[in-house]
Amino acid sequence: MTALDSVLRQHAEQQYADELDALTAADTRQRPPRWKMSPWAVATYLLGGRLENGAEISPKYIGNPRVIEIAVATLATDRALLLLGVPGTAKSWVSEHLAAAISGDSTLVVQGTAGTSEEAVRYGWNYAQLLSKGPSQDAIVPSPVMRAMRAGKIARIEELTRMPGEVQDSLISVLSEKVLPIAELDDEVLAQKGFNIIATANDRDRGVNELSSALKRRFNTVILPPPRTADEEVRIVETRVASVGRALELPAEAPALEEIRRIVTVFRELREGVTADGKTKLKVPSASMSTAEAISVITHGMSLAAHFGDGVLRGADLAAGMVGAIVKDPLQDRVAMLEYLETVVKERSGWKDLYRACREVME
C-alpha cells in the first residue's frame, strides 16, 4: 500500500491521475497559457467518454454538458467563474475537478465562513518575522489566492456568500486588475497567465451574505441545477456511492439499483412537495433533500449492512439515515415525515419493509 492509498480522500488530481495522464497524452488541441490540457480535454474529463486510444474517462458531472462547456470557456478568458446552486448540486465537486484538470492542483482553496478574514483571501503576516525584521517579503504569509496568482493557477473559494461583505469585496481588485497590492511594502503581486478564480455559492441556506453588485459584475455565473430526472439522479448516486464505497473499503455488496431508486424517489418527492405521479401533495421538510444527502444515506446504509448485517443493503439499513436526513426540525419535519410514511410509503407496493423500518426508528 502506498502513502496515497492510506489517505481517506485523495485530491482529484491524485485519485484520477491515470485519466488525466491519458487525456494529456491524447490532447492535441490548443491549450491556454499554463493550462495542463485544452478546454476540450477539460470538458471531456468532467463529462466522461472514450478516447481514440481506447482509454475510458469516467464522468465526474452527470447533467447538461453545456453547463460544463460554459464553465470551462469562462475560465479560458479573464473572467472569474461563480458556480451557483442549491446545496448538494456538486458545486464544490465540479470546482475541484476543474482546478485539477486545468492547473493540476486543486489545493489552493479558501473556505468561506462567517469568521473568514481578509488575510485568508489576500495575505497575512508571520508575526515573529514582523517583530524581528519589520515588514518584508519574508514576513508575508501568502493566501491561496496570492499563491495562485504567482504560479498562474486556479484558486478556489468555497461558499463565497458565507464570508462577510467586506472580505468578499477584497477580491475586487484581484478580479478586475489582476493585481494584489501589498500596501505595507509599497509592492504588488501581478497575476501570471493561467490564473483565475472559481467561487461557489448558494442563496438558500441561512447565514449567507449577498454579493455586492461590483463583485457580481466580475464573475460569470453558471447555475448548477438539481438533476432533471429521477434516472439522472439515480445514476449520479450510483456512481458516487461506488466511489465512496471503494475509498472507505466497505465490505458490503454494491447496493441494488432498486434501493438507490427508492431513496432518490423519497428525496425528490419531499423536495418537490408532490408524489412522482402528481396525485398527492406533500409537506416539504426544512432539510435541503439534496443528491449529496441521498449519497450519504446510501453509504450509511452500506456501512450498517456490512458491519451489522449480511452485507446486503435493505430497507432496514436505509431507514435510520433517511429519517436523520429528513427530520432536522423535530416538530415540523417529524410531522411531514410521518404524513409521508402513512400516505405514500405505506401504500406503495414493495415498500412495506421501508415503512416498518422508518416507523421503528421514529418511535
Side-chain angles (χ1 to χ4, degrees), residues 208-238:
V208 299
N209 301 295
E210 183 69 22
L211 298 180
S212 68
S213 297
L215 191 55
K216 284 180 180 177
R217 287 196 301 270
R218 286 160 173 82
F219 281 104
N220 188 32
T221 301
V222 173
I223 297 174
L224 296 183
R228 292 171 294 181
T229 66
D231 288 342
E232 187 177 284
E233 191 162 2
V234 166
R235 187 180 168 209
I236 294 169
V237 174
E238 183 182 23

Side-chain angles (χ1 to χ4, degrees), residues 40-363:
W40 168 84
V42 174
T44 301
Y45 170 69
L46 271 95
L47 297 171
R50 182 181 290 276
L51 304 182
E52 291 182 0
N53 61 11
E56 192 72 31
I57 306 301
S58 61
K60 319 302 180 302
Y61 177 78
I62 297 172
N64 185 352
R66 195 61 174 169
V67 170
I68 297 301
E69 291 169 355
I70 293 170
V72 175
T74 295
L75 293 170
T77 71
D78 63 349
R79 293 274 288 177
L81 174 65
L82 175 62
L83 297 175
L84 190 66
V86 298
T89 48
K91 299 183 296 297
S92 297
W93 178 255
V94 169
S95 168
E96 179 183 3
H97 284 285
L98 284 171
I102 292 170
S103 299
D105 184 358
S106 63
T107 65
L108 298 171
V109 185
V110 176
Q111 181 59 57
T113 69
T116 300
S117 65
E118 191 171 320
E119 286 77 11
V121 175
R122 295 168 64 84
Y123 56 88
W125 295 97
N126 179 323
Y127 287 102
Q129 290 269 16
L130 193 62
L131 290 171
S132 63
K133 300 179 181 179
S136 66
Q137 287 289 349
D138 290 339
I140 288 178
V141 178
S143 71
V145 174
M146 179 184 279
R147 286 155 50 205
M149 293 177 73
R150 286 173 169 168
K153 293 183 176 183
I154 299 291
R156 298 165 52 211
I157 300 179
E158 294 294 322
E159 302 289 357
L160 177 61
T161 50
R162 291 199 174 280
M163 294 180 180
E166 62 273 16
V167 178
Q168 295 175 10
D169 286 345
S170 66
L171 284 167
I172 289 177
S173 62
V174 172
L175 296 179
S176 56
E177 282 84 37
K178 312 302 179 189
V179 171
L180 180 53
I182 307 174
E184 296 87 345
L185 302 180
D186 192 21
D187 200 354
E188 61 187 12
V189 174
L190 301 176
Q192 299 298 298
K193 290 182 178 180
F195 166 74
N196 214 327
I197 287 178
I198 305 173
T200 67
N202 77 77
D203 55 3
R204 292 286 185 89
D205 284 353
R206 297 173 183 173
V208 299
N209 301 295
E210 183 69 22
L211 298 180
S212 68
S213 297
L215 191 55
K216 284 180 180 177
R217 287 196 301 270
R218 286 160 173 82
F219 281 104
N220 188 32
T221 301
V222 173
I223 297 174
L224 296 183
R228 292 171 294 181
T229 66
D231 288 342
E232 187 177 284
E233 191 162 2
V234 166
R235 187 180 168 209
I236 294 169
V237 174
E238 183 182 23
T239 302
R240 289 288 293 121
V241 163
S243 175
V244 173
R246 286 193 298 271
L248 297 177
E249 299 182 21
L250 290 175
E253 294 183 12
L257 199 60
E258 186 53 39
E259 295 300 342
I260 293 177
R261 187 170 292 279
R262 287 208 290 184
I263 291 298
V264 167
T265 299
V266 169
F267 275 42
R268 288 182 72 86
E269 289 182 332
L270 287 173
R271 190 166 67 219
E272 295 169 7
V274 65
T275 52
D277 58 13
K279 294 181 179 179
T280 307
K281 289 189 176 181
L282 306 167
K283 289 185 173 69
V284 178
S286 61
S288 64
M289 311 299 299
S290 69
T291 307
E293 288 175 303
I295 293 166
S296 178
V297 169
I298 297 290
T299 306
H300 178 263
M302 289 173 63
S303 181
L304 277 174
H307 300 299
F308 301 100
D310 60 3
V312 179
L313 183 67
R314 295 184 172 86
D317 303 311
L318 296 172
M322 191 176 89
V323 172
I326 296 169
V327 182
K328 301 298 186 185
D329 183 314
L331 297 177
Q332 176 187 332
D333 293 347
R334 180 179 172 81
V335 170
M337 181 68 183
L338 287 172
E339 181 181 289
Y340 180 70
L341 288 175
E342 295 299 328
T343 60
V344 179
V345 178
K346 185 178 181 180
E347 304 302 323
R348 190 164 276 166
S349 177
W351 284 39
K352 288 290 193 298
D353 62 323
L354 187 60
Y355 167 76
R356 288 192 294 266
C358 288
R359 286 306 308 244
E360 184 177 336
V361 169
M362 296 187 70
E363 286 177 358

